[in-house]
Amino acid sequence: MNRIHLLPDHVANQIAAGEVVERPASVVKELVENSLDAQAARITVEIQAGGRSLVRVIDDGLGMSRDDALLSLERHATSKIQRAEDLAAIATMGFRGEALPSIASVSRFTLTTRERFVVPPLGGSEATGRPKAELQTQPVEGTQIIIHGGKILEVKAAGSAPGTTIEVRQIFFNLPARRKFLRTEETEAAHIQHYLTLAAMAYPEVAFTFQKDGRVAWQLPAIKSGAEISERLPALRERLRALYGAEQKLLAVNFTGALTTQVEPDETESFEIATTLNSQPSTLNSSLRIWGFIGAPGVSRSTREDQHLFVNRRPVENRGLNFALLEGYHTALMKGRYPVCCLFLEIDPAAVDVNIHPAKREIKFHREREVRQLMAQAVRETLLKFHGQSQSTVVRPRAEAIEKRAESEPAPEFSTPSLPQFPLPPRTVSEPAPITQPPLKMGFGQPPLNPTLPSSPEKSTAQAPSQLLTFNSQLSPPLLSVPLRLVGVIGKLYVVLESDRGLVLLDQHAAHERILFEQMLTRLEQKQQADSQKLLLPETVELSARDANFIREQLPTLGRLGVGLGEFGERTFLLDALPPFVKVSDARKFVLELVDELKAAGQEVNSLRLGEHTVAKTVCRHAVKANDPLSGPELENLVGDLRRCAMPYTCPHGRPTLIEMNFRELEKKFGRAQ
Ligand code: ADP
Ligand code: MG
């Protein structure tokens, strides 16, 4: 007896739905993607009970003829690709032809559609490069199809506005086991809202309305955009403001890099499940565009919640890109914090595989490593530009050097860009600082600056960051390029300063750490060796076998950074030198803490960044811990040294060095202003 038989369509569709339709938010995602693919200029999403009882998506897109509407409900029916080769260059959101039949098989489904009969009006859709609607001269009749659990109940003519409305009621009504797994209405609604946020970011030129249980939750007007990044950036900023409202310091990113080298398939690293599709040696020579917004130094979150990445307008999750972002921020981000960003990568569709995940959430780059490097570089250059570096002379050559290094040595698969050189003779902070910059307007007991005074010479010569954009569209020069006056020190740690904008607090330790860190790395770059001082009394330190193995690997790096630690037996090490600014009373404790911190850093960053920078960071922290409170002139030097840093606004661990409270904020706090 034959035991194998083909599954009936509705069963096959339900199985496919298992992958595509996870929850109401997946329905919203598939339907909105279809509307976007159909060049809608306005999309309305209505849900009831978190989408469990109803999801309705209304668009004014191309619509479908009756035949097409019927066909759209068949499995593997799509208008978006025709041949297998088309998979290599997908320019639409959809292409699998699975969503509609899958959704219809697990819900009470109504499709109402009518073809557009005029060319779409100017606006959004032209900018996207999607094909124009075909010109029709006759108004056409609409079609309505009703399906319950995959069975067609009715197909009829229906009057409707041009476009498509899809209603999905009682999702999983015929699959009680899956319905049981749905979460609370609030949770499901939050998932829907999250997806809509992403869609709204990617398509500012499309108007979105979101209704929850009959109430309008959002109404986002269409924003005029264009094909050029210079038009799309302001549109995105406007959309972000509409979505978040709040004032957030964001920096605009606009970066173009080239993907040039040939990569053999086995060299393409993947963090996701790799498919072999299209992994022949690639001969692309295309550019990679990265644009959008990233948080200014000090703007971060404890989760990836506000980290939004898009590849060719598709919201994606990709571990490589996440790493690249962290790499780009490097020391400008605190441990355990995540960047805030909304970044768009534009890359030849042939250089990405979007067909590795049923919901297309994950993607794979054929040139993962190059893309990651460019991403980190884009972020880094934006931050450096904000910090007031002239990146054209400083960063580019360094970045190229890194790329070359990465090519020649395969070991560190993700190279860490080192700091750019800054015009600073290496020295410790306690030495008198040669004045190479305009002198600080600082000193105890001077009359306070008048906030209404015209800007001082320093201010006018300061490089205003063209990239700084805050949500209230105010442009203000970075804090360290305006004159600061020393007011005093509180708690032996916080230096109180004032600028003509308001109050500034400086964390003495954080600032000191940043300065030492950059000085150490400069020294290393110039002499391959940071300063080191022999200890009068070398000390032995015994470690556990595991720690001993770990630290043995780090000895050369430690040595280069001035920590003279040598093997002195199986598990014993001899500490005989330290950087001059590190004063340790208990050598053993110092080494043990160093081991712990390096290990922790190693785990956290997947050992990719465990190198000179991590060691330097750790050593600097110890230096600063033992530091005495500073007095007036030393504080002035501290601020002066900080000004010469490449990344002055955060300590090497990403904590802020400075906090500013401007007069407006002060007035708000004192109830003088709203
Ligand atoms: P895919 O999007 O992968 O092609 P779907 O099952 O989501 O597959 O949709 C099948 C087809 O139905 C699409 O290719 C498209 O031609 C058509 N379609 C779906 N939704 C709409 C819509 N909102 N407006 C116009 N056409 C649509
Ligand atoms: Mg689709």
Side-chain angles (χ1 to χ4, degrees):
M1 195 183 85
N2 293 340
R3 285 183 299 138
I4 301 180
H5 53 91
L6 280 172
L7 289 173
D9 269 354
H10 71 278
V11 181
N13 286 334
Q14 280 185 11
I15 293 172
E19 288 187 317
V20 182
V21 189
E22 206 182 328
R23 57 188 347 152
S26 347
V27 172
V28 171
K29 174 175 186 291
E30 294 296 337
L31 298 183
V32 169
E33 284 188 358
N34 282 345
S35 299
L36 291 167
D37 282 343
Q39 301 172 35
R42 167 172 295 281
I43 299 174
T44 302
V45 177
E46 295 170 21
I47 61 164
Q48 268 167 25
R52 300 165 57 132
S53 42
L54 170 75
V55 168
R56 184 188 287 131
V57 175
I58 307 165
D59 72 49
D60 62 352
L62 296 174
M64 285 179 270
S65 67
R66 175 177 289 216
D67 287 350
D68 272 358
L70 281 165
L71 206 53
S72 75
L73 295 156
E74 298 286 330
R75 260 182 99 204
H76 307 308
T78 178
S79 56
K80 299 168 193 173
I81 57 170
Q82 292 185 350
R83 302 160 306 160
E85 299 86 84
D86 295 344
L87 276 174
I90 289 159
T92 49
M93 293 284 137
F95 57 87
R96 295 169 67 106
E98 277 184 325
L100 292 189
S102 301
I103 296 167
S105 74
V106 295
S107 67
R108 301 185 197 279
F109 180 99
T110 307
L111 163 74
T112 312
T113 187
R114 187 177 133 198
E115 279 186 283
R116 249 190 219 169
F117 58 94
V118 284
V119 182
L122 279 179
S125 47
E126 267 72 12
T128 65
R130 289 177 288 178
K132 276 191 183 170
E134 275 163 31
L135 222 153
Q136 293 186 1
T137 46
Q138 289 292 310
V140 282
E141 195 180 51
T143 305
Q144 187 166 69
I145 303 174
I146 301 172
I147 301 183
H148 282 185
K151 296 201 180 65
I152 298 192
L153 300 188
E154 208 177 343
V155 181
K156 60 181 180 191
S160 80
T164 304
T165 297
I166 291 178
E167 230 177 65
V168 177
R169 290 184 185 272
Q170 290 170 295
I171 183 175
F172 300 139
F173 80 98
N174 52 347
L175 297 173
R178 298 206 57 192
R179 191 165 171 86
K180 223 169 57 197
F181 274 105
L182 293 180
R183 310 294 288 275
T184 62
E185 290 181 15
E186 293 74 39
T187 308
E188 296 299 342
H191 281 284
I192 291 171
Q193 185 146 343
H194 176 69
Y195 168 71
L196 287 177
T197 310
L198 297 172
M201 286 175 179
Y203 290 83
E205 72 275 17
V206 175
F208 284 90
T209 304
F210 178 37
Q211 275 190 28
K212 251 197 285 195
D213 300 310
R215 285 206 336 270
V216 176
W218 279 356
Q219 189 126 40
L220 302 171
I223 297 162
K224 206 177 159 302
S225 188
E228 295 302 314
I229 304 291
S230 58
E231 298 166 286
R232 292 168 74 184
L233 269 171
L236 174 61
R237 190 185 42 182
E238 177 112 16
R239 184 46 67 85
L240 290 175
R241 186 176 13 208
L243 283 169
Y244 288 99
E247 191 177 299
Q248 220 176 0
K249 270 197 177 160
L250 295 178
L251 311 177
V253 179
N254 189 355
F255 175 91
T256 310
L259 293 168
T260 45
T261 50
Q262 283 228 352
V263 179
E264 296 301 316
D266 55 343
E267 227 183 293
T268 53
E269 307 140 54
S270 87
F271 287 97
E272 293 15 307
I273 324 111
T275 58
T276 48
L277 189 80
N278 296 316
S279 50
Q280 311 91 7
S282 174
T283 50
L284 291 168
N285 190 352
S286 59
S287 68
L288 171 72
R289 205 69 199 256
I290 302 175
W291 66 277
F293 292 93
I294 61 172
V299 178
S300 64
R301 292 205 56 171
S302 57
T303 64
R304 292 194 201 277
E305 210 168 300
D306 278 339
Q307 179 179 314
H308 306 296
L309 296 172
F310 301 79
V311 172
N312 295 343
R313 281 200 161 182
R314 192 188 296 281
V316 296
E317 284 163 26
N318 178 284
R319 278 183 61 204
L321 288 184
N322 293 344
F323 271 123
L325 262 178
L326 293 179
E327 281 299 319
Y329 271 90
H330 195 39
T331 57
L333 201 68
M334 250 186 276
K335 192 172 165 186
R337 304 287 297 184
Y338 296 96
V340 168
C341 71
C342 179
L343 279 181
F344 290 82
L345 272 75
E346 281 169 17
I347 185 170
D348 183 341
V352 207
D353 192 349
V354 289
N355 192 26
I356 61 164
H357 188 278
K360 299 168 235 131
R361 223 171 21 231
E362 285 169 11
I363 50 143
K364 182 181 170 304
F365 294 105
H366 299 317
R367 311 248 188 97
E368 182 96 31
R369 183 190 304 187
E370 269 182 275
V371 171
R372 266 158 48 189
Q373 269 171 0
L374 291 171
M375 176 76 163
Q377 193 185 336
V379 170
R380 187 163 181 77
E381 282 187 14
T382 305
L383 291 172
L384 281 173
K385 220 181 271 172
F386 167 70
H387 283 300
Q389 289 280 320
S390 97
Q391 49 96 31
S392 53
T393 55
V394 174
V395 181
R396 286 282 185 180
R398 297 277 321 140
E400 273 159 28
I402 289 154
E403 268 160 31
K404 287 212 189 74
R405 196 178 348 128
E407 275 163 34
S408 57
E409 58 178 60
E413 47 171 0
F414 198 30
S415 62
T416 304
S418 59
L419 285 163
Q421 253 164 329
F422 29 90
L424 175 67
R427 64 196 154 72
T428 56
V429 201
S430 48
E431 285 167 23
I435 296 175
T436 55
Q437 298 254 316
L440 296 174
K441 289 230 170 113
M442 293 209 331
F444 287 107
Q446 284 178 14
L449 294 170
N450 183 340
T452 57
L453 275 182
S455 51
S456 57
E458 281 95 327
K459 191 174 176 181
S460 54
T461 55
Q463 212 184 339
S466 56
Q467 298 276 311
L468 176 66
L469 287 159
T470 61
F471 274 171
N472 62 357
S473 325
Q474 275 180 352
L475 285 169
S476 50
L479 196 47
L480 280 168
S481 61
V482 301
L484 295 171
R485 183 195 313 284
L486 186 58
V487 179
V489 180
I490 52 174
K492 291 187 187 155
L493 176 62
Y494 303 108
V495 183
V496 184
L497 303 148
E498 73 169 330
S499 74
D500 60 359
R501 302 205 294 245
L503 172 72
V504 178
L505 289 172
L506 177 143
D507 179 326
Q508 200 177 302
H509 280 187
H512 197 175
E513 257 183 83
R514 163 57 68 185
I515 295 161
L516 288 177
F517 175 72
E518 295 203 3
Q519 286 180 352
M520 223 165 155
L521 292 179
T522 313
R523 196 51 171 251
L524 199 62
E525 211 157 85
Q526 288 169 347
K527 304 208 312 188
Q528 311 302 318
Q529 169 69 50
D531 288 348
S532 185
Q533 213 165 45
K534 286 273 170 217
L535 296 184
L536 287 178
L537 298 169
E539 291 194 52
T540 55
V541 182
E542 199 180 326
L543 297 175
S544 70
R546 246 172 122 185
D547 286 350
N549 278 337
F550 174 81
I551 206 74
R552 203 168 283 128
E553 309 251 291
Q554 310 298 327
L555 291 182
T557 314
L558 284 167
R560 277 201 301 283
L561 285 155
V563 180
L565 200 61
E567 292 194 64
F568 200 67
E570 186 84 341
R571 293 186 284 122
T572 312
F573 295 84
L574 186 73
L575 180 70
D576 65 358
L578 282 171
F581 51 79
V582 181
K583 308 258 180 303
V584 289
S585 46
D586 185 342
R588 194 184 129 73
K589 205 165 136 230
F590 171 74
V591 173
L592 281 177
E593 279 179 21
L594 207 59
V595 171
D596 284 348
E597 277 169 51
L598 291 178
K599 270 163 94 177
Q603 275 156 13
E604 200 200 31
V605 298
N606 198 12
S607 83
L608 296 175
R609 277 155 65 175
L610 190 66
E612 289 164 355
H613 288 207
T614 314
V615 175
K617 252 161 51 169
T618 311
V619 172
C620 291
R621 176 133 102 219
H622 283 276
V624 168
K625 261 193 204 160
N627 225 34
D628 298 326
L630 298 179
S631 61
E634 288 167 328
L635 286 172
E636 292 194 13
N637 287 342
L638 188 73
V639 177
D641 287 343
L642 194 61
R643 283 194 165 150
R644 284 185 284 272
C645 284
M647 291 279 213
Y649 296 100
T650 58
C651 82
H653 303 91
R655 284 186 293 270
T657 52
L658 292 152
I659 292 176
E660 184 178 24
M661 197 180 285
N662 62 30
F663 285 113
R664 221 193 56 194
E665 288 165 278
L666 284 171
E667 278 161 13
K668 255 195 194 158
K669 285 217 187 302
F670 283 110
R672 289 174 180 274
Q674 291 303 311

